[in-house]
Amino acid sequence: MNMLSTARERAEVEIPPYVPSGNECRLFEIAWTRQLPLLLKGPTGCGKTRFVSHMAARLGLPLSTVSCHDDLAAADLTGRYLLKGGDTVWVDGPLTKAVREGGICYLDEVVEARKDVAVVLHPLTDDRRILPLERTGEQLVAPPGFMLVVSYNPGYQNLLKALKPSTKQRFVSIEFDFLPKAQEIVVVSTESGLDEARVAPLVELANRLRHLKGHDIEEGVSTRLLVYCAALIDSGLTVREAVRVAMIEPLSDDPDVKAALIEVANGVIA
């Protein structure tokens, strides 16, 4: 019995819904089976995190998700000594725990973390698959059931937070984007409860606003925001109010930009 089928048999939790746009599920399974680190890149809210949750449940693997931020240091991932009951004890971080026990460690928006994080990841992403813990003197070897997955948004970076080529070339990479309109309508309708006919103009509006990315707004409307908007409408909010609070306000704080976005919305929604 191979490792993939064994993991599937262990799966006892409900698998989070996910609509594939290509062969990303098969690629993920191959990467895990062959012990390859995986890099997911794509715009905010296009389904990267949902995809990882889906695949972890599908493979029957424990999942540790870390949302990276400016203050996240290597020690937050590997662990540190803490005082407990008057004693100083070592406490594993999420990355170390995953390496010891197996499973998926997912670092969301890895470029947001401090630079020393990349140094920790490098020996885990080559043929060594090791995690040196200098403070404990250990050198952990990742088991076959361990997988490192990281994600980032290549369209939302500055030169200080770009993922270095030397790091990118250590990963198998899958590029994500928003779903085609027909598929996105189904996803938003399913998750919000709003019927597809009423979701369709919301998806059309989202696509028009996404074309403004890099001009009036830094990011386009995510599928997540679309679900929020549709859920508000399904709960009785008017379409215009739901669009304003879930699709316009999150995109900009500039009054002139918001007025322009509302004008675009008025041309699409009833």
Side-chain angles (χ1 to χ4, degrees):
M1 183 177 296
N2 62 38
M3 187 165 58
L4 184 58
S5 61
T6 301
R8 280 174 171 161
E9 289 180 1
R10 291 201 306 266
E12 297 179 354
V13 297
E14 181 180 351
I15 298 177
Y18 174 77
V19 178
S21 59
N23 66 339
E24 65 267 28
C25 294
R26 176 61 177 153
L27 288 172
F28 190 104
E29 289 182 351
I30 293 173
W32 180 72
T33 302
R34 300 303 296 265
Q35 301 174 25
L36 303 175
L38 189 61
L39 168 65
L40 311 179
K41 56 182 181 178
T44 300
C46 69
K48 300 187 295 295
T49 299
R50 172 66 67 89
F51 170 66
V52 177
S53 298
H54 171 85
M55 292 307 302
R58 179 167 161 173
L59 295 171
L61 295 171
L63 171 64
S64 177
T65 298
V66 179
S67 298
C68 298
H69 52 81
D70 290 341
D71 294 326
L72 185 81
D76 296 311
L77 297 178
T78 56
R80 49 172 51 92
Y81 284 104
L82 298 175
L83 284 173
K84 286 192 174 181
D87 296 323
T88 302
V89 297
W90 173 262
V91 178
D92 283 343
L95 179 62
T96 301
K97 184 177 180 181
V99 171
R100 289 192 197 277
E101 302 175 3
I104 298 171
C105 184
Y106 172 50
L107 307 183
D108 187 22
E109 295 296 345
V110 68
V111 294
E112 297 294 331
R114 287 167 51 173
K115 292 181 179 180
D116 62 340
V117 167
V119 177
V120 171
L121 299 183
H122 280 188
L124 271 175
T125 53
D126 58 28
D127 58 340
R128 295 172 291 173
R129 280 173 57 87
I130 61 172
L131 178 62
L133 298 176
E134 294 182 4
R135 302 194 68 182
T136 65
E138 296 176 272
Q139 183 168 279
L140 305 180
V141 178
F146 168 77
M147 183 179 189
L148 177 64
V149 182
V150 304
S151 72
Y152 82 111
N153 178 359
Y156 189 61
Q157 294 181 36
N158 57 44
L159 292 177
L160 297 177
K161 289 190 175 181
L163 201 60
K164 293 182 178 180
S166 59
T167 299
K168 286 191 287 188
Q169 291 188 28
R170 292 173 174 271
F171 292 84
V172 174
S173 183
I174 301 177
E175 185 169 8
F176 282 72
D177 204 345
F178 297 111
L179 291 169
K181 288 182 182 179
Q183 286 181 275
E184 193 167 33
I185 289 170
V186 173
V187 169
V188 174
S189 176
T190 300
E191 298 208 7
S192 68
L194 191 67
D195 65 84
E196 293 183 13
R198 300 181 71 191
V199 166
L202 301 178
V203 173
E204 173 63 28
L205 173 59
N207 277 278
R208 294 197 186 187
L209 294 178
R210 287 165 186 165
H211 287 133
L212 299 176
K213 179 183 175 182
H215 299 284
D216 294 330
I217 53 178
E218 292 182 339
E219 281 291 327
V221 178
S222 66
T223 301
R224 182 186 304 117
L225 286 179
L226 270 174
V227 172
Y228 293 168
C229 183
L232 291 173
I233 296 170
D234 189 57
S235 295
L237 215 62
T238 66
V239 174
R240 292 185 186 279
E241 182 68 4
V243 165
R244 184 182 67 80
V245 300
M247 294 174 66
I248 303 298
E249 291 290 348
L251 295 184
S252 178
D253 295 323
D254 186 290
D256 292 334
V257 172
K258 288 192 290 185
L261 297 180
I262 290 172
E263 187 174 343
V264 173
N266 289 339
V268 177
I269 60 176

Coordinates of all heavy atoms in Angstrom, one line a residue, residues 103-174:
G103 N 3.2 15.9 8.6 CA 2.1 16.8 8.2 C 2.5 17.9 7.4 O 3.7 18.0 7.0
I104 N 1.6 18.8 7.1 CA 1.8 20.0 6.3 C 2.0 21.2 7.1 O 1.2 21.5 8.0 CB 0.7 20.2 5.3 CG1 0.5 19.0 4.3 CG2 0.9 21.5 4.5 CD1 -0.7 19.1 3.5
C105 N 3.1 22.0 6.9 CA 3.3 23.3 7.5 C 3.1 24.3 6.4 O 3.9 24.3 5.4 CB 4.6 23.4 8.1 SG 4.9 25.0 9.0
Y106 N 2.1 25.2 6.5 CA 1.8 26.1 5.5 C 2.1 27.5 6.0 O 1.5 28.0 6.9 CB 0.3 26.0 5.1 CG -0.2 27.0 4.2 CD1 0.4 27.4 3.0 CD2 -1.4 27.7 4.4 CE1 0.0 28.3 2.1 CE2 -1.9 28.7 3.6 CZ -1.2 29.0 2.4 OH -1.7 30.0 1.6
L107 N 3.0 28.2 5.3 CA 3.3 29.6 5.6 C 2.7 30.5 4.6 O 3.1 30.6 3.4 CB 4.8 29.8 5.6 CG 5.7 28.8 6.4 CD1 7.1 29.1 6.3 CD2 5.2 28.8 7.9
D108 N 1.6 31.2 5.0 CA 0.8 32.0 4.2 C 1.5 33.4 4.1 O 1.8 34.0 5.1 CB -0.6 32.2 4.8 CG -1.5 32.9 3.8 OD1 -1.3 33.0 2.6 OD2 -2.5 33.4 4.4
E109 N 1.7 33.9 2.8 CA 2.3 35.2 2.6 C 3.7 35.2 3.2 O 4.0 36.1 4.0 CB 1.5 36.3 3.1 CG 0.1 36.5 2.3 CD 0.3 36.8 0.8 OE1 1.5 37.2 0.4 OE2 -0.6 36.7 0.1
V110 N 4.5 34.3 2.8 CA 5.9 34.1 3.4 C 6.7 35.3 3.3 O 7.6 35.6 4.1 CB 6.5 32.8 2.9 CG1 6.9 33.0 1.4 CG2 7.8 32.4 3.7
V111 N 6.5 36.1 2.2 CA 7.4 37.3 2.0 C 7.2 38.4 3.1 O 8.0 39.3 3.3 CB 7.2 37.9 0.6 CG1 7.7 37.0 -0.4 CG2 5.8 38.3 0.4
E112 N 6.1 38.3 3.9 CA 5.8 39.2 4.9 C 6.7 39.0 6.1 O 6.9 39.9 7.0 CB 4.4 39.2 5.3 CG 3.4 39.6 4.2 CD 3.5 41.0 3.8 OE1 3.9 41.9 4.7 OE2 3.3 41.4 2.7
A113 N 7.3 37.8 6.3 CA 8.1 37.4 7.4 C 9.4 38.1 7.4 O 9.9 38.5 6.3 CB 8.2 35.9 7.5
R114 N 10.1 38.1 8.5 CA 11.5 38.6 8.6 C 12.4 37.7 7.7 O 12.2 36.6 7.5 CB 11.9 38.7 10.0 CG 11.2 39.9 10.8 CD 11.4 39.8 12.3 NE 12.8 39.7 12.7 CZ 13.2 39.7 13.9 NH1 12.3 39.9 14.9 NH2 14.5 39.6 14.2
K115 N 13.6 38.3 7.4 CA 14.5 37.7 6.4 C 15.1 36.4 7.0 O 15.5 35.5 6.2 CB 15.6 38.7 6.0 CG 15.1 39.8 5.2 CD 16.2 40.8 4.8 CE 15.7 41.9 3.9 NZ 16.8 42.8 3.5
D116 N 15.2 36.3 8.3 CA 15.9 35.1 8.9 C 15.0 33.9 8.7 O 15.5 32.8 8.9 CB 16.2 35.3 10.4 CG 15.0 35.6 11.2 OD1 13.9 36.0 10.7 OD2 15.1 35.4 12.5
V117 N 13.7 34.0 8.3 CA 12.9 32.9 8.1 C 13.4 32.1 6.9 O 13.4 30.8 6.9 CB 11.4 33.3 7.9 CG1 10.6 32.2 7.3 CG2 10.8 33.8 9.2
A118 N 13.8 32.8 5.8 CA 14.3 32.1 4.6 C 15.5 31.2 5.0 O 15.6 30.1 4.4 CB 14.6 33.1 3.6
V119 N 16.4 31.7 5.9 CA 17.5 30.9 6.2 C 17.2 29.6 6.9 O 17.8 28.5 6.6 CB 18.4 31.7 7.2 CG1 19.6 30.9 7.7 CG2 18.9 33.0 6.5
V120 N 16.1 29.6 7.7 CA 15.6 28.4 8.3 C 15.0 27.4 7.3 O 15.2 26.2 7.4 CB 14.6 28.7 9.4 CG1 13.9 27.5 10.0 CG2 15.2 29.5 10.6
L121 N 14.3 28.0 6.3 CA 13.6 27.1 5.3 C 14.6 26.5 4.3 O 14.3 25.4 3.8 CB 12.6 28.0 4.6 CG 11.5 28.6 5.4 CD1 10.5 29.3 4.5 CD2 10.7 27.6 6.2
H122 N 15.7 27.1 4.0 CA 16.5 26.6 3.0 C 17.0 25.1 3.1 O 16.9 24.3 2.2 CB 17.7 27.5 2.8 CG 17.4 28.7 2.0 ND1 18.4 29.6 1.5 CD2 16.3 29.2 1.5 CE1 17.8 30.6 0.9 NE2 16.5 30.4 0.8
P123 N 17.5 24.7 4.3 CA 17.9 23.3 4.4 C 16.7 22.3 4.4 O 16.9 21.1 4.2 CB 18.6 23.2 5.8 CG 18.1 24.4 6.5 CD 17.8 25.5 5.5
L124 N 15.5 22.8 4.6 CA 14.3 21.9 4.5 C 13.8 21.8 3.1 O 13.0 20.9 2.8 CB 13.2 22.5 5.3 CG 13.1 22.1 6.8 CD1 11.9 22.9 7.5 CD2 12.8 20.6 7.0
T125 N 14.3 22.6 2.2 CA 13.8 22.7 0.8 C 14.8 22.2 -0.2 O 14.7 22.5 -1.4 CB 13.4 24.1 0.4 OG1 14.4 25.0 0.7 CG2 12.1 24.5 1.3
D126 N 15.8 21.4 0.2 CA 16.7 20.8 -0.7 C 16.8 19.3 -0.3 O 16.0 18.8 0.5 CB 18.1 21.4 -0.8 CG 18.8 21.5 0.6 OD1 18.5 20.6 1.4 OD2 19.6 22.4 0.8
D127 N 17.7 18.6 -0.9 CA 17.7 17.1 -0.7 C 18.0 16.7 0.7 O 17.8 15.6 1.1 CB 18.7 16.4 -1.7 CG 20.1 17.0 -1.5 OD1 20.3 18.1 -1.0 OD2 21.1 16.3 -1.9
R128 N 18.5 17.6 1.6 CA 18.8 17.3 2.9 C 17.5 17.1 3.8 O 17.5 16.3 4.6 CB 19.7 18.4 3.6 CG 21.1 18.5 3.0 CD 21.8 19.7 3.6 NE 21.2 21.0 3.1 CZ 21.5 22.2 3.6 NH1 22.4 22.3 4.5 NH2 21.0 23.3 3.1
R129 N 16.6 18.0 3.5 CA 15.3 18.0 4.3 C 15.6 17.9 5.8 O 15.1 17.1 6.5 CB 14.4 16.8 3.9 CG 13.7 17.1 2.6 CD 12.9 15.9 2.1 NE 11.9 15.4 3.0 CZ 10.7 15.8 3.1 NH1 10.2 16.8 2.4 NH2 9.9 15.2 4.0
I130 N 16.4 18.9 6.3 CA 16.8 18.9 7.7 C 16.4 20.3 8.3 O 16.3 21.3 7.6 CB 18.3 18.7 7.9 CG1 19.1 19.8 7.2 CG2 18.6 17.3 7.5 CD1 20.6 19.7 7.6
L131 N 16.2 20.3 9.6 CA 15.9 21.5 10.3 C 16.9 21.6 11.5 O 16.7 21.0 12.5 CB 14.4 21.5 10.8 CG 14.0 22.7 11.7 CD1 14.1 24.0 10.8 CD2 12.6 22.6 12.2
P132 N 17.9 22.4 11.3 CA 18.9 22.6 12.4 C 18.3 23.5 13.5 O 17.8 24.5 13.2 CB 20.1 23.2 11.8 CG 19.8 23.1 10.3 CD 18.4 23.1 10.1
L133 N 18.4 23.0 14.7 CA 17.9 23.8 15.9 C 19.1 24.1 16.7 O 19.6 23.4 17.6 CB 16.9 23.0 16.7 CG 15.6 22.6 16.0 CD1 14.7 21.8 17.0 CD2 14.8 23.9 15.6
E134 N 19.7 25.3 16.4 CA 21.0 25.7 17.1 C 20.8 25.8 18.6 O 21.7 25.4 19.3 CB 21.4 27.0 16.5 CG 21.8 27.0 15.1 CD 22.4 28.3 14.6 OE1 22.5 29.2 15.4 OE2 22.6 28.4 13.4
R135 N 19.7 26.2 19.1 CA 19.5 26.5 20.5 C 19.4 25.2 21.3 O 19.6 25.2 22.5 CB 18.3 27.4 20.8 CG 18.5 28.7 20.0 CD 17.5 29.8 20.5 NE 17.8 30.2 21.9 CZ 17.1 31.0 22.6 NH1 16.0 31.5 22.1 NH2 17.4 31.3 23.9
T136 N 19.0 24.1 20.7 CA 18.9 22.8 21.4 C 20.0 21.8 20.9 O 20.1 20.8 21.5 CB 17.5 22.1 21.1 OG1 17.4 21.8 19.7 CG2 16.4 23.1 21.5
G137 N 20.7 22.2 19.9 CA 21.8 21.3 19.4 C 21.2 20.2 18.5 O 22.0 19.3 18.2
E138 N 20.0 20.2 18.2 CA 19.4 19.1 17.4 C 19.5 19.4 15.9 O 19.5 20.6 15.5 CB 17.9 19.0 17.7 CG 17.6 18.5 19.2 CD 16.2 18.5 19.4 OE1 15.6 19.5 19.9 OE2 15.5 17.4 19.2
Q139 N 19.5 18.4 15.1 CA 19.3 18.5 13.7 C 18.3 17.5 13.2 O 18.5 16.3 13.1 CB 20.7 18.2 13.0 CG 20.6 18.4 11.5 CD 22.0 18.4 10.8 OE1 22.6 19.4 10.8 NE2 22.4 17.3 10.2
L140 N 17.1 18.0 13.0 CA 15.9 17.2 12.8 C 15.9 16.8 11.3 O 16.0 17.7 10.4 CB 14.6 17.8 13.2 CG 14.5 18.3 14.6 CD1 13.2 19.0 14.8 CD2 14.7 17.2 15.6
V141 N 15.6 15.6 11.0 CA 15.4 15.1 9.6 C 13.9 15.0 9.4 O 13.3 14.2 10.1 CB 16.2 13.8 9.3 CG1 15.9 13.3 7.9 CG2 17.6 13.9 9.6
A142 N 13.4 15.7 8.4 CA 12.0 15.6 8.1 C 11.6 14.2 7.7 O 12.2 13.6 6.8 CB 11.6 16.6 7.0
P143 N 10.5 13.7 8.2 CA 10.0 12.4 7.8 C 9.3 12.4 6.4 O 9.0 13.5 5.9 CB 9.0 12.0 8.9 CG 8.5 13.4 9.3 CD 9.6 14.3 9.3
P144 N 9.1 11.3 5.8 CA 8.5 11.3 4.5 C 7.1 12.0 4.5 O 6.7 12.5 3.5 CB 8.3 9.8 4.2 CG 9.4 9.1 5.0 CD 9.5 9.9 6.3
G145 N 6.4 12.0 5.6 CA 5.1 12.6 5.7 C 5.1 14.0 5.9 O 4.0 14.6 6.2
F146 N 6.2 14.7 5.9 CA 6.3 16.1 6.1 C 6.3 16.9 4.8 O 7.0 16.4 3.9 CB 7.5 16.5 6.9 CG 7.8 18.0 6.9 CD1 7.1 18.9 7.7 CD2 8.7 18.6 6.1 CE1 7.3 20.3 7.7 CE2 9.0 19.9 6.0 CZ 8.2 20.8 6.9
M147 N 5.5 18.0 4.7 CA 5.5 18.8 3.5 C 5.5 20.3 3.9 O 4.8 20.7 4.8 CB 4.3 18.5 2.7 CG 4.3 19.2 1.3 SD 2.8 18.8 0.4 CE 3.2 19.6 -1.2
L148 N 6.4 21.0 3.2 CA 6.4 22.5 3.4 C 5.7 23.2 2.2 O 6.0 22.9 1.1 CB 7.8 23.0 3.5 CG 8.0 24.5 3.7 CD1 7.4 25.0 5.0 CD2 9.5 24.9 3.6
V149 N 4.7 24.0 2.5 CA 4.0 24.7 1.5 C 4.0 26.2 1.9 O 3.8 26.6 3.1 CB 2.5 24.3 1.4 CG1 1.8 25.1 0.3 CG2 2.4 22.8 1.1
V150 N 4.4 27.1 1.0 CA 4.4 28.5 1.2 C 3.6 29.2 0.1 O 3.4 28.7 -1.0 CB 5.8 29.1 1.3 CG1 6.7 28.4 2.3 CG2 6.5 29.0 -0.1
S151 N 3.1 30.4 0.4 CA 2.4 31.2 -0.6 C 2.8 32.6 -0.5 O 3.3 33.1 0.5 CB 0.9 31.0 -0.4 OG 0.4 31.8 0.8
Y152 N 2.5 33.3 -1.6 CA 2.7 34.8 -1.7 C 2.0 35.3 -2.8 O 1.6 34.6 -3.8 CB 4.2 35.1 -1.7 CG 4.9 35.1 -3.1 CD1 5.3 36.2 -3.7 CD2 5.1 33.9 -3.7 CE1 5.9 36.2 -4.9 CE2 5.8 33.8 -4.9 CZ 6.2 35.0 -5.5 OH 6.8 34.9 -6.8
N153 N 1.8 36.6 -2.8 CA 1.1 37.4 -3.8 C 2.2 38.2 -4.6 O 2.6 39.2 -4.1 CB 0.1 38.3 -3.2 CG -0.6 39.1 -4.3 OD1 -0.4 39.1 -5.5 ND2 -1.6 40.0 -3.8
P154 N 2.6 37.7 -5.8 CA 3.7 38.4 -6.5 C 3.3 39.8 -7.0 O 4.1 40.6 -7.4 CB 3.9 37.4 -7.7 CG 2.7 36.7 -7.9 CD 2.1 36.5 -6.5
G155 N 2.0 40.1 -7.1 CA 1.5 41.4 -7.5 C 1.4 42.4 -6.4 O 1.1 43.6 -6.7
Y156 N 1.8 42.0 -5.2 CA 1.6 43.0 -4.1 C 2.9 43.0 -3.3 O 2.9 42.5 -2.1 CB 0.4 42.5 -3.2 CG 0.1 43.6 -2.2 CD1 -0.4 44.8 -2.5 CD2 0.1 43.2 -0.8 CE1 -0.7 45.8 -1.5 CE2 -0.3 44.1 0.2 CZ -0.7 45.4 -0.2 OH -1.0 46.3 0.8
Q157 N 4.0 43.4 -3.9 CA 5.3 43.4 -3.2 C 6.0 44.7 -3.5 O 5.7 45.4 -4.5 CB 6.1 42.3 -3.7 CG 5.6 40.9 -3.4 CD 6.6 39.9 -4.0 OE1 7.8 40.1 -4.0 NE2 6.1 38.8 -4.4
N158 N 7.0 45.0 -2.7 CA 8.0 46.0 -3.1 C 9.3 45.4 -3.1 O 9.5 44.2 -2.8 CB 7.9 47.2 -2.1 CG 8.1 46.8 -0.6 OD1 9.0 46.0 -0.4 ND2 7.4 47.3 0.3
L159 N 10.3 46.1 -3.4 CA 11.7 45.5 -3.6 C 12.2 44.9 -2.3 O 13.0 44.0 -2.3 CB 12.6 46.6 -4.2 CG 12.4 47.0 -5.6 CD1 13.4 48.1 -6.0 CD2 12.5 45.8 -6.5
L160 N 11.7 45.5 -1.2 CA 12.2 45.0 0.1 C 11.5 43.7 0.5 O 12.0 43.0 1.4 CB 11.9 46.1 1.2 CG 12.7 47.4 1.0 CD1 12.3 48.4 2.1 CD2 14.2 47.2 1.0
K161 N 10.4 43.4 -0.1 CA 9.7 42.2 0.3 C 9.5 41.2 -0.9 O 8.5 40.5 -1.0 CB 8.3 42.5 0.9 CG 8.4 43.2 2.3 CD 7.1 43.3 2.9 CE 7.2 43.8 4.3 NZ 5.9 43.9 5.0
A162 N 10.4 41.2 -1.8 CA 10.3 40.3 -3.0 C 10.9 39.0 -2.5 O 11.9 38.9 -1.7 CB 11.0 40.8 -4.2
L163 N 10.4 37.9 -3.0 CA 10.9 36.5 -2.8 C 12.1 36.3 -3.6 O 12.1 36.4 -4.9 CB 9.9 35.5 -3.0 CG 10.0 34.1 -2.4 CD1 10.0 34.3 -0.9 CD2 8.9 33.2 -2.8
K164 N 13.3 36.1 -3.0 CA 14.5 36.0 -3.8 C 14.5 34.8 -4.7 O 14.0 33.7 -4.4 CB 15.7 35.9 -2.8 CG 16.0 37.1 -2.0 CD 17.2 37.0 -1.1 CE 17.5 38.2 -0.3 NZ 18.7 38.1 0.6
P165 N 15.2 34.9 -5.9 CA 15.3 33.8 -6.8 C 15.9 32.6 -6.2 O 15.5 31.4 -6.5 CB 16.1 34.4 -8.0 CG 15.9 35.8 -7.9 CD 15.7 36.2 -6.5
S166 N 16.9 32.8 -5.3 CA 17.5 31.6 -4.7 C 16.5 30.9 -3.8 O 16.7 29.7 -3.5 CB 18.7 32.1 -3.8 OG 18.3 33.0 -2.8
T167 N 15.5 31.5 -3.3 CA 14.5 30.9 -2.5 C 13.4 30.3 -3.4 O 13.0 29.1 -3.2 CB 13.8 31.9 -1.5 OG1 14.8 32.4 -0.6 CG2 12.7 31.2 -0.7
K168 N 12.9 31.0 -4.4 CA 11.9 30.5 -5.3 C 12.3 29.2 -6.0 O 11.5 28.4 -6.2 CB 11.5 31.6 -6.3 CG 10.7 32.7 -5.8 CD 10.1 33.6 -6.8 CE 11.2 34.5 -7.5 NZ 10.6 35.5 -8.4
Q169 N 13.6 29.1 -6.3 CA 14.1 28.0 -7.1 C 14.2 26.7 -6.2 O 14.7 25.7 -6.7 CB 15.4 28.3 -7.8 CG 15.2 29.3 -8.9 CD 16.4 29.6 -9.8 OE1 17.2 28.7 -9.9 NE2 16.5 30.7 -10.4
R170 N 13.9 26.8 -5.0 CA 13.9 25.6 -4.1 C 12.5 25.0 -4.1 O 12.3 23.9 -3.4 CB 14.3 26.0 -2.7 CG 15.7 26.5 -2.6 CD 16.0 27.0 -1.2 NE 17.5 27.3 -1.1 CZ 18.4 26.4 -0.7 NH1 18.0 25.2 -0.4 NH2 19.7 26.8 -0.6
F171 N 11.5 25.5 -4.8 CA 10.1 25.0 -4.7 C 9.6 24.7 -6.0 O 9.9 25.3 -7.1 CB 9.2 26.1 -4.1 CG 9.5 26.5 -2.7 CD1 10.5 27.4 -2.3 CD2 8.7 25.9 -1.7 CE1 10.7 27.7 -1.0 CE2 8.9 26.2 -0.3 CZ 9.9 27.1 0.0
V172 N 8.7 23.7 -6.1 CA 7.8 23.5 -7.2 C 6.7 24.5 -7.0 O 6.2 24.8 -5.9 CB 7.1 22.1 -7.1 CG1 6.1 21.9 -8.2 CG2 8.2 21.0 -7.3
S173 N 6.3 25.2 -8.1 CA 5.4 26.3 -8.0 C 4.2 26.1 -8.8 O 4.2 25.6 -9.9 CB 6.2 27.6 -8.5 OG 5.4 28.7 -8.4
I174 N 3.1 26.5 -8.2 CA 1.7 26.5 -8.9 C 1.2 27.9 -8.9 O 1.1 28.6 -7.8 CB 0.8 25.6 -8.2 CG1 1.3 24.1 -8.1 CG2 -0.6 25.6 -8.9 CD1 0.4 23.2 -7.4

